[in-house]
Amino acid sequence: MRIFWKNILAVLLLVGGLYYMSQSNLLIAGESQKVITNELTWSVQRLVSKESWVEQGDYLPLNVSYQLLAGAPSTQQRFLSVGLSSVKRAKGSYLIPTLQSLFSQSSPEERSSMVVVVLLADFDISWRVSTVTEIKTAFALELEQGQLVVLHVPQEMYPPYTGLKRNYNDLPERVSFRSKQNLDYSFLILYSASLGQYYLQIEDDVFSAKNFLSTIKRRVAEQEAKKTTWAMLEFSALGYIGKLYKSAQLPLLARFLFLFYQEMPCDWLMGRFRDLMTQKEPILFKPSLFQHMGTFSSFQGTYNKLKDKDFEEQYTNPLAEVYTDMSSYKKHFPKLAWDAGEDFFWGRSPEKGNHLTVVFRGPTLVTGIMVETGSGGKDLLESAQVEIGHDVITTEKDRSCKEFQTVGTFKNGLFEIQEMDKKYTSASSCLRIQITAAQKDWLIITKIRISTKLRTSTNQA
């Protein structure tokens, strides 16, 4: 009986000790001895695919210990894994809106075909705890369904990223920031290598276009049908946003970033990797599927106004009819340059006096105009002016305006003007591109975009 009670007492002491440890708070050494909540983590092994030769044996070992903070990836490979790394910012945070955009812009079928992997790469444990709490609250369903995974890599896994050589005469702080960022991406990419057939790299401060996954799937199918070598497809022209890789090549990419982490920024390294994988030229798709939303950089909270001019989510021009006296090639009609999307107007060699005219359904106060021509440096509009007009007239062939006034001319195939309403204060009924000199090359007008605002008077221009 005495032995029995001793055993009971030992069990109670063990349970009590475990409870005490689970409830204890972690003390952070410092002036204030601030108390923060324990971070609930457990070690996790990444899934290993044998598609890459570097994973088929102990070649170039890259051994990383991961801490799983939330979610658990499915053992069944999906079409797409989406990776992003996030650190504590001096000003603002865009991680939650970025994740909301990824999921809200995807259909249920699309969400079931992807997994989003978030690496919380800051060593501030209190920030990680609060961020994971936010994520668990906002994305409980996605975590439960294996569509979202949150990771951390302990600091001891990182090689030195301070006191490094100053390539390009960068400030030491800048060198440390970009070097650690390369390591963050290396660890993130290595973990994600087996989760999807393809891997998409984005940053933690972007908007996503509607149904971006379906667009990516279609573009991949088109690219594979060409039977040409590719290592990276680009769905944004900005930095390390919207870059797509074959998952079979991720183990190599992860090691490449790790080996050269202190040499140059990640977006420069990815260009070198693409070249080494024998893809000669960038493959960039338009319109872009991702837009930079952040105002302040993750590097020292500096102001960052970077925007992708080819992102057109939810963009629409006003209702209008489009006319031209230039001959269209096949089905590349002039209206395609006005409508949102990937199509464009393609016309045979324009002559002096040719035009493309947009007639608005109603008087419109235009505040900005952007016209982009050419493709790959060819079929640019060499000599033309942009005009706005008023007083709509109808002829036997088309509709136009009675009077026009010039607002500017093309330069290097591009025309752009903003804040027009400061000079042209009344509404317009037409917009016209007037050719001022003949050219031998054909003409591609990829997009005509205008910005407008509500009129405060009934005047028309």
Side-chain angles (χ1 to χ4, degrees):
M1 181 63 72
R2 183 177 298 174
I3 295 175
F4 172 79
W5 285 112
K6 282 184 178 180
N7 291 338
I8 292 295
L9 180 60
V11 171
L12 290 174
L13 287 172
L14 177 61
V15 172
L18 291 173
Y19 178 80
Y20 175 79
M21 286 188 290
S22 69
Q23 297 300 311
S24 63
N25 290 326
L26 180 64
L27 291 176
I28 299 297
E31 294 180 3
S32 62
Q33 287 287 296
K34 181 181 177 183
V35 179
I36 63 172
T37 308
N38 262 333
E39 181 179 36
L40 181 61
T41 70
W42 56 95
S43 297
V44 62
Q45 296 294 323
R46 66 183 181 92
L47 300 174
V48 178
S49 170
K50 299 298 183 181
E51 288 185 86
S52 173
W53 67 266
V54 78
E55 298 278 50
Q56 293 174 9
D58 193 22
Y59 311 118
L60 292 175
L62 181 54
N63 300 315
V64 186
S65 296
Y66 295 89
Q67 294 178 348
L68 188 61
L69 306 184
S74 170
T75 56
Q76 183 176 1
Q77 189 182 57
R78 304 194 180 188
F79 174 77
L80 184 69
S81 59
V82 182
L84 60 151
S85 173
S86 188
V87 296
K88 182 179 180 180
R89 292 173 181 257
K91 296 180 181 179
S93 176
Y94 310 101
L95 176 59
I96 299 301
T98 295
L99 293 175
Q100 288 172 335
S101 180
L102 283 170
F103 291 117
S104 66
Q105 297 290 66
S106 304
S107 68
E109 293 76 17
E110 289 170 329
R111 289 196 293 272
S112 66
S113 297
M114 73 176 181
V115 55
V116 179
V117 183
V118 178
L119 176 68
L120 297 186
D122 203 287
F123 303 126
D124 183 338
I125 188 172
S126 60
W127 175 81
R128 294 202 305 272
V129 168
S130 62
T131 302
V132 170
T133 301
E134 280 190 87
I135 291 174
K136 287 182 175 179
T137 301
F139 304 102
L141 181 61
E142 288 79 8
L143 289 167
E144 181 184 342
Q145 295 181 346
Q147 298 168 7
L148 176 61
V149 179
V150 185
L151 303 170
H152 175 66
V153 175
Q155 189 169 4
E156 57 265 26
M157 292 288 105
Y158 285 74
Y161 52 85
T162 58
L164 304 177
K165 58 184 179 180
R166 294 174 55 192
N167 289 351
Y168 315 108
N169 203 33
D170 282 347
L171 293 173
E173 296 82 6
R174 181 69 187 176
V175 173
S176 294
F177 173 80
R178 61 171 169 79
S179 297
K180 180 183 177 297
Q181 189 176 56
N182 284 333
L183 295 168
D184 296 339
Y185 287 139
S186 172
F187 298 154
L188 172 64
I189 288 168
L190 184 67
Y191 181 86
S192 305
S194 298
L195 302 183
Q197 299 174 45
Y198 299 91
Y199 172 80
L200 179 73
Q201 179 68 55
I202 64 171
E203 295 181 2
D204 68 342
D205 54 357
V206 299
F207 289 118
S208 304
K210 191 74 173 177
N211 303 121
F212 67 88
L213 187 144
S214 294
T215 302
I216 289 173
K217 187 175 289 189
R218 175 167 54 84
R219 290 299 198 181
V220 166
E222 293 171 356
Q223 198 64 36
E224 295 290 1
K226 295 179 180 179
K227 306 295 184 182
T228 56
T229 298
W230 68 270
M232 181 177 72
L233 304 182
E234 301 183 46
F235 295 92
S236 171
L238 301 180
Y240 218 174
I241 298 173
K243 307 305 187 259
L244 187 83
Y245 300 91
K246 300 173 183 178
S247 288
Q249 296 176 354
L250 293 185
L252 282 176
L253 176 59
R255 286 162 173 83
F256 181 78
L257 293 173
F258 188 89
L259 287 171
F260 300 99
Y261 77 97
Q262 59 178 292
E263 302 300 333
M264 60 186 69
C266 56
D267 48 338
W268 294 11
L269 281 173
M270 71 180 182
R272 303 294 198 280
F273 181 78
R274 183 198 67 217
D275 293 339
L276 290 169
M277 299 301 289
T278 70
Q279 179 183 323
K280 295 180 180 180
E281 299 293 336
I283 304 173
L284 174 63
F285 296 105
K286 298 181 181 180
S288 298
L289 298 182
F290 304 95
Q291 177 65 286
H292 182 257
M293 75 163 77
T295 304
F296 298 101
S297 170
S298 54
F299 175 60
Q300 297 182 343
T302 53
Y303 182 71
N304 185 357
K305 61 179 181 180
L306 196 63
K307 295 294 179 185
D308 190 330
K309 64 182 179 64
D310 294 311
F311 181 81
E312 296 191 340
E313 172 62 10
Q314 298 179 339
Y315 175 85
T316 53
N317 273 327
L319 294 175
E321 299 166 350
V322 184
Y323 305 92
T324 187
D325 59 353
M326 291 178 279
S327 175
S328 300
Y329 175 66
K330 292 187 176 180
K331 295 183 178 181
H332 295 281
F333 303 122
K335 187 70 159 55
L336 297 175
W338 181 254
D339 294 337
E342 305 167 17
D343 291 322
F344 50 88
F345 167 64
W346 199 355
R348 293 176 171 83
S349 304
E351 300 288 338
K352 181 179 180 180
N354 283 155
H355 71 90
L356 185 147
T357 302
V358 179
V359 182
F360 306 136
R361 292 281 179 91
T364 302
L365 185 55
V366 180
T367 60
I369 302 172
M370 193 276 285
V371 184
E372 188 177 278
T373 73
S375 177
K378 298 180 180 179
D379 294 342
L380 296 166
L381 182 50
E382 297 172 2
S383 181
Q385 62 190 28
V386 176
E387 306 164 337
I388 54 175
H390 58 86
D391 295 340
V392 176
I393 57 174
T394 302
T395 68
E396 293 182 1
K397 295 183 178 180
D398 55 27
R399 302 175 74 216
S400 185
C401 276
K402 186 177 181 181
E403 297 178 359
F404 287 91
Q405 56 188 137
T406 302
V407 297
T409 58
F410 277 80
K411 185 177 181 180
N412 299 322
L414 181 68
F415 176 82
E416 187 166 9
I417 185 173
Q418 300 296 333
E419 299 183 337
M420 287 178 55
D421 51 315
K422 291 183 177 180
K423 182 177 180 180
Y424 308 99
T425 57
S426 51
S428 302
S429 296
C430 295
L431 182 153
R432 184 168 71 181
I433 300 171
Q434 185 82 34
I435 310 299
T436 54
Q439 64 182 62
K440 293 182 180 180
D441 290 339
W442 286 21
L443 168 64
I444 290 176
I445 301 180
T446 52
K447 64 173 67 174
I448 305 170
R449 302 291 181 260
I450 70 170
S451 53
T452 64
K453 71 177 184 181
L454 294 175
R455 291 178 291 149
T456 56
S457 69
T458 57
N459 295 335
Q460 295 185 19

